[in-house]
Amino acid sequence: MTPIPVFGAAAVEAAVPPERAVEVVREAFLAYARGEWTMPPKVYVPAYPAGDFRAMPALGGGHALLKWVTSFPGNPAVGLPTVTGLVLLSDASNGMPQAVLDAGAVTALRTGAAAVLAAESLGREDAGVAGVIGAGVNGRAVARTFVARGRAVMVWDVDAGRAEETAAEVGARVAESRENALATDLVATVTPGHEIIIGPGSLRAGQHVSLMGADGPGKAEIAVEELGRVRVFCDDWEQASHNGELVHAAEAGAIGRADVTQLGDVLAGSASGRESPDDITVFDSTGLAIQDLAIALEAYGRFEAGELTEAPTIEL
Ligand SMILES: NC(=O)c1ccc[n+]([C@@H]2O[C@H](COP(=O)([O-])OP(=O)(O)OC[C@H]3O[C@@H](n4cnc5c(N)ncnc54)[C@H](O)[C@@H]3O)[C@@H](O)[C@H]2O)c1
C-alpha cells in the first residue's frame, strides 16, 4: 500500500499560503461553473442544540473528496473549536485513499479565500479598507487573506480580546466600533449567525458584503428586507437557497432563483457582476466541497512533489 500523508493543521497551513488559496479556490469555482467538477448536495446531520455535522463530497481533477465537518457554536466556551473534522482525498480512477487532512484548517483557508475572492470580484475597483465582523477561527482566516492580498483590514468582535488577538496576529487593526467596521468598502461577516449584523437599510451605495457566517439552518447575518434591496450573489444556489442566508428570503418569497447570481458564473464571464459603482453587492457563502477539494489537491500536490516534510504518513 502507498503511504497516505496526514496533514495536521500546521501542515495544511505550510502547504497552502492564503494568497495561493485564493488562486486555487478561484479555479475551483470556474471548474464547477464549467461542469468539470461536480458536487452532490451537502448533507446536514443535526445534533442540536449542541451543533451539527456536515458530510460534503466533491469530484474533480481526477480525485474525490469527502469532508466530515462540524459546527458546534458553544465549543469555544469549553476551549474547543466550533469547526473541526477530517477531509479524505481519494484517487477517482481506482478509489484508493490518498490523503487525510485537518478539516478545520482546510475550511478556514478556503473560507478566507472565498470571502476575499467575492470581495475582489464584486467590490468596487477603487475599494479601500476591508472590515471583518467576527474574529474567530474563520474570521481570522478572512482577515489574514485580505492582508495577504495587500489590503488594509479592520476587525471587530463582540469579544474585544478576540478582536485584538486576531488583529495582532494577522497585521490588521481593531475597529473602533462595529459601525466603523460596517462602514468599510468591503465588509465580511463571520459570526455564528445568531444576530442580524446587517439591518434593514444599513448598507450604502457601492459597498460589498461577503456573508460567511450563516451557513446552516436557523442562522442569518442580514435582514431579509436588506437582501431585497441589494444585488445578491451566492456560491451555489441549490445549497444557499436551502441552508444559507437566502433560505429566509426565498421562503418569504422576497427573492427567487432569477434574482441571485452564482459567483462562478461571474468569474467565468457568463453572468454579470457589479454593473455600476453604486451597486450594493452581497455574496452569500454556505461553503462548497469544491473549495475544500481545491485546497486538498494543492496540499497533496506539494507533498507528491516532495516539497513538504511536515506531514507524517500512515498505511491502512
Ligand atoms: N461560509 C462558510 O464557508 C463557512 C465556513 C466556516 C465557518 N462558517 C460559519 O462561520 C461562523 C463562524 O465560524 P468560526 O469557526 O469562525 O467560529 P468561532 O466561534 O471561532 O468565531 C465566531 C466569532 O464571532 C464572534 N461573535 C459572536 N457574535 C457576534 C456578533 N454579534 N458580532 C460580532 N462578532 C460576534 C465571537 O465572539 C467569535 O469570536 C459559524 O456560523 C460557522 O458555521 C461558514
Side-chain angles (χ1 to χ4, degrees):
M1 286 285 283
T2 312
I4 298 168
V6 179
F7 291 81
V12 172
E13 283 158 16
V16 191
E19 51 276 37
R20 182 70 188 136
V22 176
E23 287 169 22
V24 298
V25 166
R26 182 177 205 284
E27 290 306 316
F29 272 106
L30 281 168
Y32 182 58
R34 289 192 295 258
E36 293 163 10
W37 285 21
T38 55
M39 190 181 61
K42 179 193 288 202
V43 175
Y44 283 82
V45 183
Y48 301 137
D52 63 68
F53 295 85
R54 296 122 197 240
M56 302 175 62
L59 182 75
H63 301 260
L65 169 139
L66 176 68
K67 183 165 81 165
W68 178 241
V69 67
T70 63
S71 179
F72 279 68
N75 272 9
V78 291
L80 296 173
T82 303
V83 175
T84 188
L86 292 172
V87 172
L88 305 176
L89 184 71
S90 303
D91 186 330
S93 70
N94 58 13
M96 296 305 289
Q98 292 178 305
V100 178
L101 302 96
D102 177 272
V106 171
T107 301
L109 265 175
R110 58 77 143 154
T111 303
V116 171
L117 182 63
E120 291 179 352
S121 310
L122 301 171
R124 280 171 61 131
E125 272 179 29
D126 62 354
V129 177
V132 178
I133 319 276
V137 174
N138 284 283
R140 185 171 304 193
V142 172
R144 178 179 287 121
T145 309
F146 269 127
V147 170
R149 301 282 289 179
R151 194 170 295 280
V153 178
M154 60 170 83
V155 296
W156 192 84
D157 196 292
V158 277
D159 179 338
R162 187 70 79 87
E164 270 163 33
E165 239 175 67
T166 291
E169 189 181 308
V170 308
R173 69 186 169 88
V174 179
E176 281 164 26
S177 64
R178 181 166 100 165
E179 287 61 42
N180 278 10
L182 281 172
T184 53
D185 292 342
L186 305 176
V187 176
T189 55
V190 204
T191 72
H194 298 150
E195 187 200 337
I196 296 292
I197 307 293
I198 314 278
S202 62
L203 294 172
R204 63 168 163 78
Q207 264 188 310
H208 168 82
V209 184
S210 292
L211 298 163
M212 311 306 290
D215 60 346
K219 298 178 174 186
E221 293 185 305
I222 190 168
V224 167
E225 301 90 314
E226 194 64 347
L227 270 181
R229 200 175 74 85
V230 302
R231 296 204 50 215
V232 183
F233 299 82
C234 71
D235 50 10
D236 180 63
W237 168 255
E238 268 317 305
Q239 199 169 290
S241 60
H242 288 102
N243 277 308
E245 194 76 65
L246 304 185
V247 70
H248 313 290
E251 278 172 7
I255 56 167
R257 177 69 190 90
D259 304 312
V260 181
T261 305
Q262 298 186 138
L263 178 63
D265 296 332
V266 176
L267 298 173
S270 59
S272 58
R274 169 175 293 275
E275 285 171 352
S276 131
D278 284 343
D279 280 352
I280 301 171
T281 53
V282 161
F283 170 66
D284 176 29
S285 160
T286 50
L288 306 183
I290 52 137
Q291 297 168 236
D292 300 303
L293 180 56
I295 303 293
L297 282 182
E298 179 68 9
Y300 181 63
R302 294 205 55 203
F303 175 84
E304 283 288 278
E307 293 168 14
L308 293 178
T309 52
E310 291 90 343
T313 58
I314 53 167
E315 286 188 39
L316 296 180

